[in-house]
Amino acid sequence: MSGKDFNLDELAAYLHLTPPQVARMAEREQVPGRRIGGEWRFSEAEIHLWLEQRIGASDTSGELDAVESILDRGAGETYESISLVELLPLEAIAVPLEARTHTSVISSMCRLAAATGLLWDPDKMETAVRDREELHPTALDNGVSLLHPRRPQSSILAEPLLAFGRTDRGIPFGGARGTLTDLFFLICSTDDRCHLRVLARLSRLISSPGFVSDLRDAVDAVAVRELVEQYDEEINL
């Protein structure tokens, strides 16, 4: 992760808030920061983790849209829109995913991503994803898990990548309410900003009415990819 720090004005501009608003948030410990010589400083790595937690805690499309807008604007004037379907090759989709346990799901998803040739070390990715799951499970109450390592694994990736697998039955995967999980996305990013933008976009997608149930009904990898493209385009309308 980057070692960059934001000052108060820089973080306010990044979050599209006013400096007094950010100062109040910092004083109330609503955003991670620390005082150095009487001035607020904010670690970019900690801000990215905070944004990731906001994405995970959001349960409405409006909140997710707001977070995604922050990230898109923060990417600068020359940023390109995230296209989830372009990140999801057919060979990175398994319907069904042949896995029956928590451990075998993570292993199978990493090997699925490696089959594209874009992930060079599935064992290292598997370890990183497992460590992230032990820190905090990524399973959601709707039966979807958004697997990812805690830190981007740029050294073992040719480019950002998504993989998707659907097991033929639900698996205990650490959901807060004990919900079984059968739909798995693996997010492989090369930097923090890319990871957050993909995570926010994918979170908006799975919150779209009908998307999760349609994924469960998809007959093959082609159908899954078409659904991702369809719903992703609808978000932009």
Side-chain angles (χ1 to χ4, degrees), residues 24 29-30 40 44 72 78 81 90 109 125-127 129 134 142 160 170 179 188 203 207:
R24 284 195 298 271
E29 299 184 350
Q30 295 173 336
W40 280 107
E44 184 178 43
D72 284 348
T78 60
S81 297
L90 278 175
M109 288 298 296
M125 181 64 76
E126 180 181 346
T127 298
V129 171
E134 290 176 355
N142 58 2
T179 307
C188 302
S203 296
S207 70

Side-chain angles (χ1 to χ4, degrees), residues 169-190:
R169 67 186 67 180
I171 295 172
F173 219 77
R177 300 179 183 175
T179 307
L180 299 180
T181 306
D182 62 338
L183 304 176
F184 301 89
F185 284 94
L186 173 62
I187 304 172
C188 302
S189 301
T190 53

Side-chain angles (χ1 to χ4, degrees), residues 164 166 183 185 210-218 224 227-228:
F164 171 78
R166 186 185 73 205
L183 304 176
F185 284 94
F211 179 66
V212 169
S213 59
D214 284 348
L215 276 182
R216 291 195 171 102
D217 292 336
V224 167
L227 282 171
V228 171

Side-chain angles (χ1 to χ4, degrees), residues 60-82:
T60 69
S61 59
E63 291 174 348
L64 291 168
D65 183 42
V67 175
E68 187 179 13
S69 294
I70 289 171
L71 295 167
D72 284 348
R73 291 193 298 262
E77 295 180 359
T78 60
Y79 82 89
E80 295 182 2
S81 297
I82 291 288

Side-chain angles (χ1 to χ4, degrees), residues 76-114:
E77 295 180 359
T78 60
Y79 82 89
E80 295 182 2
S81 297
I82 291 288
S83 172
L84 295 180
V85 72
E86 291 181 4
L87 297 175
L88 182 64
L90 278 175
E91 57 269 34
I93 302 173
V95 177
L97 180 71
E98 299 297 339
R100 298 289 182 272
T101 66
H102 189 285
T103 299
S104 63
V105 163
I106 295 175
S107 177
S108 297
M109 288 298 296
C110 292
R111 275 148 187 76
L112 186 61

Side-chain angles (χ1 to χ4, degrees), residues 147-168:
L147 299 167
H148 58 270
R150 185 178 181 184
R151 297 183 177 182
Q153 302 292 304
S154 58
S155 65
I156 58 173
L157 284 166
E159 58 188 63
L161 167 70
L162 279 177
F164 171 78
R166 186 185 73 205
T167 55
D168 59 8

